Amino acid sequence: MVPPRPLHPGGAGGDGAPLDGGATRRPGAAVSRGRGEGRRVDDDRDASGALAAPRRGRLPAGARSSRGGIVDRLKIAVPVKGRLREPSVSLLEDAGLGPEQPGERALAFPCRNAPVDVLLVHAADIPEYVQDGVVDCGITGQDLVRERGTRVEELLPLGYGSCRLDVAVPEESRFARIEDLAGASVATVFPRLTRELMPVPVELVDITSSVEIAPRLGLADAIVDLVSSGNTLRTNGLRSLGTLFTSEAVLIGREGADIGQLVTMMRAVVEARAHRYLMLDAPEDRLEEICAVIGSRSPSVLPLAEKGMVAVHALVPAEDVWQLLPRLEEVGAFSILIVPVERMLR
Ligand code: AMP
């Protein structure tokens, strides 16, 4: 199988088209973005939606997904590098979609056990590849789906790649709330989301990387950027004024794509990872208290050989285990086992 050719080597807009219609200022740019000659708009005539449009419906025939064609194999795009790569590849493995050849390092490979081909591409390109039918589905960040302005279906949040799109200013800045930034300059690599979600009008400074140092370089009063722990902000002498958007990795599909089985396989893994199987023994007369601690009204209860004793089995949220164990001991549970769940379908 041949991986899809990169369709826009020049970057987000492909043809160098301005990507927004607002008051965006690029450092050093003579013309505000969206105001230059030859500015493109997509077919709804809205320049602010021109990110994904230029390629729509103009794919080389060979780039189209095979679904609906002669070969009935499913194509899924997965991030080739960055934070989402490893957890995405491991999710595929856990869902039984590991490469046919173990240790496969090619950018496109068939999966063992299922008629699925995996394509490793840039996370930021995946929403567009899915929208345009280059692949049937893909894994990327919700932030990238929204920023690219693509029409795709978000089928399943995947439980990793969690981050926030925060507004931040230098520690010593006079700004205390996001609303105080009305009219201020804001540097970001997320111009669309920033324009969409800022509650007050701001002047956008569109940069492509190292957003955190923009205020120190005098490029902007504030930044809008992805944050997970907040350490990078602190290291760069910035403080958060609040969150515009929260994001995690997501499985996306082309509108109407027939990928129900893949979604089910992945959901079974995502749900399983979020739970643990709890087994314990307890005196039967403590059952009510144990159920109250577990938060389940109908766990499996099995009589033990010893009279008056029972075993209790239940699924519990993985994040609750830490506080469950001491409380279960307090109400008389013993021989407690917590085991991982491999697949789970409710
Ligand atoms: P990367 O390829 O590593 O730049 O990140 C791609 C995606 O990872 C982002 O678009 C987010 O969806 C996700 N992500 C999760 N945590 C962070 C973070 N702290 N900073 C940037 N991206 C993050």
Side-chain angles (χ1 to χ4, degrees):
M1 193 184 64
V2 181
R5 271 179 288 146
L7 298 177
H8 54 83
D15 52 6
L19 303 180
D20 66 290
T24 307
R25 171 165 66 80
R26 239 182 312 197
V31 182
S32 276
R33 299 181 75 201
R35 297 188 194 285
E37 277 185 19
R39 164 190 181 206
R40 294 185 61 140
V41 292
D42 57 11
D43 26 79
D44 62 3
R45 312 304 300 162
D46 172 10
S48 68
L51 266 171
R55 200 192 294 160
R56 202 180 302 146
R58 286 203 241 136
L59 287 172
R64 288 224 177 268
S65 163
S66 60
R67 298 293 283 180
I70 302 160
V71 191
D72 201 27
R73 291 183 68 84
L74 202 90
K75 285 184 187 169
I76 179 167
V78 171
V80 66
K81 59 180 188 165
R83 288 177 178 81
L84 300 183
R85 180 197 156 105
E86 287 313 319
S88 302
V89 170
S90 113
L91 173 63
L92 288 182
E93 284 275 1
D94 290 355
L97 298 172
E100 210 165 72
Q101 306 293 329
E104 179 65 82
R105 301 199 65 82
L107 293 179
F109 56 81
C111 296
R112 60 176 186 271
N113 306 328
V116 176
D117 293 324
V118 174
L119 298 156
L120 292 160
V121 295
H122 282 282
D125 290 336
I126 290 175
E128 214 168 336
Y129 282 13
V130 171
Q131 171 188 272
D132 291 352
V134 178
V135 290
D136 301 287
C137 56
I139 295 177
T140 189
Q142 289 171 323
D143 54 310
L144 295 169
V145 175
R146 285 280 293 270
E147 181 60 29
R148 304 294 286 181
T150 38
R151 279 203 298 268
V152 293
E153 280 183 43
E154 292 195 21
L155 299 166
L156 181 67
L158 298 174
Y160 58 84
S162 302
C163 54
R164 318 182 305 264
L165 189 67
D166 269 18
V167 184
V169 292
E171 285 290 358
E172 67 285 2
S173 165
R174 66 196 156 87
F175 300 112
R177 300 170 314 143
I178 296 180
E179 289 73 15
D180 298 338
L181 288 170
S185 54
V186 176
T188 187
V189 297
F190 291 92
R192 173 189 281 259
L193 273 172
T194 303
R195 195 181 313 107
E196 206 176 292
L197 300 173
M198 278 296 280
V200 290
V202 293
E203 186 187 8
L204 289 187
V205 179
D206 182 9
I207 53 183
T208 54
S209 64
S210 306
V211 178
E212 309 85 12
I213 59 164
R216 211 181 310 153
L217 294 176
L219 290 173
D221 302 310
I223 65 163
V224 167
D225 202 15
L226 291 178
V227 176
S228 32
S229 66
N231 278 343
T232 311
L233 287 187
R234 277 190 291 280
T235 308
N236 287 287
L238 298 164
R239 84 182 132 83
S240 174
L241 294 186
T243 298
L244 295 181
F245 184 71
T246 54
S247 174
E248 68 181 286
V250 65
L251 175 69
I252 55 172
R254 192 163 26 91
E255 286 177 343
D258 173 21
I259 55 168
Q261 197 178 346
L262 184 85
V263 177
T264 303
M265 293 299 287
M266 288 207 176
R267 177 175 291 120
V269 174
V270 172
E271 291 258 0
R273 286 173 169 185
H275 290 84
R276 296 291 179 269
Y277 195 69
L278 167 72
M279 294 178 274
L280 58 86
D281 294 347
E284 195 171 5
D285 57 10
R286 309 296 298 268
L287 205 49
E288 208 170 302
E289 290 163 274
I290 285 170
C291 289
V293 171
I294 296 172
S296 162
R297 268 174 295 153
S298 55
S300 305
V301 179
L302 315 156
L304 292 181
E306 189 182 340
K307 211 169 165 2
M309 302 299 280
V310 288
V312 178
H313 292 194
L315 273 172
V316 293
E319 62 189 18
D320 291 354
V321 166
W322 175 252
Q323 47 95 12
L324 268 182
L325 290 182
R327 291 174 58 209
L328 286 170
E329 277 198 309
E330 266 169 37
V331 294
F334 60 93
S335 298
I336 303 173
L337 290 180
I338 307 265
V339 293
V341 182
E342 197 171 300
R343 308 276 164 94
M344 176 174 159
L345 286 175
R346 291 192 208 236

